[in-house]
Amino acid sequence: MSGVLPTLDDLPGPVTEPRKIRRPFAGSALFIAMIVIGVVMLYPFYFMIDTSLRSESSFLNGGGHSLDSWRALDSTLPWGQQLINSTIVCLLSIGIILVCSSMAGFAFAKLRYPGASGVFVAIIAAILIPVQSIVIPAYVDIAHWHLLTSYTGAVLMYSAIGTPFATFLMTVYYRSLPDEVLEAGVIDGLSYPMIFLRIALPMSVPALATIFVLQFIQIWDDLLIGLLFLQNTSERTITVGLGALAAGRTTDIPVLMAGSLVSALPAIVVFLIFQRFLVNGLTAGIGR
Amino acid sequence: MRFEYASRIYAAGHRPAVDRLSLEIADGELCVLVGPSGSGKSTALRMLAGLEPVDGGKIYIGERDVTDLAPKRRDIAMVFQSYALYPHMTVAQNLGFALRVKRMPRDEVKRRVEEAARLLELEPFLKRRPRALSGGQRQRVAMGRAIVREPQVFCMDEPLSNLDAKLRVSTRTQIASLQRRLGVTTVYVTHDQVEAMTMGDRVAVLHEGVLQQVDRPLDIYDRPCNVFVAGFMGSPAMNLLPGRRVTDGLEVLGSVVPVPRELGAPGTSGAVTAGVRPEGLQLDDPGRPGTIPATVEFVEELGSDGFVYGTVEGGQRITIRSPGRRHPSIGSQVGVRLDPAQLHVFDGESGERL
């Protein structure tokens, strides 16, 4: 029937579910882009795993897989001890960074005292100083204090390098905490140190976790400080050990790849465990 | 408790946030501090709580001078506008926190927390974190945190402003009745004059840091002491009209209204402000003798009655309460009759009541 009145078929049907906007091109383009990015990201891991499962000759000339390189790694590199060293240095440094940055951040964000903004700017400015430019004078200083033959020198260096940015992050985070919650603590009878410990600190766990993971990756992967400030071979971290592998006249690439995998795994595990805090921590304070 | 000439000055040379506030609040009384934003009402409350230093004068709780005491020694509890619950603690931990800080025995803490939870119907939520509660439940936790301390004074800083309109009305009555049951002296800060009218035993109106008037709600409504209080309390606001004293009364909106002798002292002819509430004006047919002609601009219907917004000659806007449901239409001409008995007269310059 063709008339003035619309037929039943012309009328829009009842809306039973929200219509999905179909944009097949946009969907598949995004998908392809994600695959490309994924391949780019994952290829190094594939290369590392594949190479580590070859002997040097099969890597250079082609050939089958074997565990030769892993055996060679085990015999040349005290990787177990070095992983322990890395862990010790990392945890000690991060511990110092967390203690200093949380207390300083709370003070900058919530306490009023003369010169606060000047000190804050000075600390933030320290983020801009490249490590390479101060590492030699710092080396001389720490050598004077006879701290090159223990973990202490490296731990102090990592703490000093990591604290400014961590302080900045904690300050921003504490600024986002409402004053009224802290005032509730005052009314409830807490002293300022106790307000920090019992209210502010528990509320800043996401920010602390963010700092933990960022610093862990940075310190774990660092070579320069470890190389200079850990003079005893027994205290070397895993990255320094790998550096030593590569420093010989000929470098056995498959062995190096096996060592790199060993060194990368802990950082990846830490990242995977803490990544949800990381996202929360970096976006904390944006909204209510 | 009482304030004695208590002042708070944020920056030297600026107007004090609270200017020589003197106010005595009886035991068990609920006193509402009300005023527009920036009137110093919250600052006054924070001075009482000890969160804000007192730059001049004294504050007493009972006979104890608490002016320089730390908040925890003042025996007060506070309900914050944002509730300020501790997000990392459960409801039970939030309620009992102040008691645990005071090192009260465990079973006493437990008893008080359970009692407050029962009173506020929070028992099912004791193990939850604040973020898993609704706005009204959070508000009740904030109240409970104050109640468990059994303090001498409750300080409440706009505790209802984060609730939606309906919940605000029901919570308003709950707080007022709870306060009466507990009999704890309460200082309640709000910018909402309806809250002030309905909740307070007495209402203190503040403006620019200065206390304007303290009285029972209806007394403030009936006898505002100056133009500011007259315009602030009551909704819709009182009509404030320029007027002039003449020999046989008061000239308002072009007509002479007879007023009691003491107001229109003969021989004087100074400017005054005449205040009349919307219910003090009645609608009449246009052109009736003794009425003021006005044009209807807008009509607000509330169901049981309505408010007619109009303008009179010279552009002065007025609000008239119109009972029932038959209201004039927009744009029509009406006559407005002024009830002389409901006229408030204020000095034209100082704004003080005459």
Side-chain angles (χ1 to χ4, degrees), chain A residues 89 92-94 96-97 100 134 138 141-142 145-148 150-164 219 225 229-230:
Chain A
V89 168
L92 285 177
S93 310
I94 294 173
I96 293 174
I97 291 171
C100 293
I134 56 164
D141 269 351
I142 287 181
W145 300 333
H146 307 290
L147 294 177
L148 292 176
S150 66
Y151 297 125
T152 319
V155 167
L156 283 179
M157 281 304 290
Y158 285 127
S159 309
I161 295 165
T163 300
I219 298 172
I225 304 293
F229 292 83
L230 294 169

Side-chain angles (χ1 to χ4, degrees), chain A residues 115-265:
Chain A
S117 57
V119 179
F120 183 64
V121 168
I123 286 180
I124 298 313
I127 298 172
L128 305 176
I129 299 172
V131 180
Q132 291 78 357
S133 71
I134 56 164
V135 75
I136 299 304
Y139 178 84
V140 173
D141 269 351
I142 287 181
H144 271 301
W145 300 333
H146 307 290
L147 294 177
L148 292 176
T149 51
S150 66
Y151 297 125
T152 319
V155 167
L156 283 179
M157 281 304 290
Y158 285 127
S159 309
I161 295 165
T163 300
F165 178 70
T167 302
F168 173 70
L169 205 69
M170 290 311 292
T171 305
V172 172
Y173 189 81
Y174 281 130
R175 275 192 189 142
S176 74
L177 290 190
D179 284 339
E180 284 198 341
V181 177
L182 308 180
E183 285 174 350
V186 174
I187 298 278
D188 279 347
L190 293 181
S191 60
Y192 250 97
M194 291 313 278
I195 287 175
F196 171 70
L197 281 178
R198 296 184 67 172
I199 299 174
L201 205 54
M203 284 174 79
S204 62
V205 167
L208 296 173
T210 305
I211 292 172
F212 183 90
V213 69
L214 291 179
Q215 293 297 338
F216 188 92
I217 292 167
Q218 200 160 351
I219 298 172
W220 188 273
D221 288 349
D222 176 80
L223 176 63
L224 178 65
I225 304 293
L227 204 56
L228 286 172
F229 292 83
L230 294 169
Q231 297 279 317
N232 287 354
T233 41
S234 63
E235 283 152 8
R236 276 182 183 170
T237 56
I238 187 80
T239 44
V240 178
L242 288 175
L245 271 189
R249 259 178 304 161
T250 56
T251 301
D252 189 329
I253 303 278
V255 174
L256 194 60
M257 286 304 113
S260 299
L261 274 176
V262 169
S263 112
L265 272 177

Side-chain angles (χ1 to χ4, degrees), chain B residues 112-252:
Chain B
R112 286 204 195 181
V113 167
E114 280 169 1
E115 194 183 303
R118 197 168 50 246
L119 200 63
L120 295 161
E121 294 164 27
L122 285 170
E123 283 157 312
F125 313 116
L126 281 175
K127 292 208 162 61
R128 288 208 200 162
R129 297 276 166 97
R131 70 165 163 270
L133 300 179
S134 71
Q137 289 160 353
R138 288 180 202 177
Q139 204 282 332
R140 298 211 297 277
V141 177
M143 289 290 299
R145 202 162 60 168
I147 289 171
V148 291
R149 302 182 56 180
E150 300 177 4
Q152 268 188 292
V153 181
F154 283 142
C155 302
M156 301 195 190
D157 188 3
E158 311 216 12
L160 303 182
S161 59
N162 284 341
L163 299 179
D164 64 59
K166 198 173 172 190
L167 199 54
R168 200 178 312 163
V169 173
S170 61
T171 312
R172 194 164 81 194
T173 50
Q174 279 168 12
I175 291 182
S177 70
L178 191 65
Q179 189 271 339
R180 264 164 210 134
R181 196 133 53 100
L182 298 171
V184 177
T185 312
T186 302
V187 184
Y188 185 106
V189 163
T190 180
H191 63 269
D192 181 347
Q193 46 92 16
V194 179
E195 260 172 49
M197 290 289 292
T198 51
M199 295 181 73
D201 293 319
R202 280 193 312 155
V203 176
V205 185
L206 278 94
H207 178 49
E208 300 194 329
V210 180
L211 180 64
Q212 308 287 315
Q213 186 171 7
V214 197
D215 237 323
R216 288 178 304 174
L218 282 182
D219 291 338
I220 289 200
Y221 189 82
D222 291 339
R223 286 188 61 80
C225 73
N226 60 29
V227 171
F228 174 78
V229 177
F232 186 73
M233 297 298 285
S235 173
M238 184 188 277
N239 297 295
L240 294 168
L241 313 165
R244 203 161 55 84
R245 271 182 263 196
V246 291
T247 24
D248 44 354
L250 207 61
E251 192 188 303
V252 184

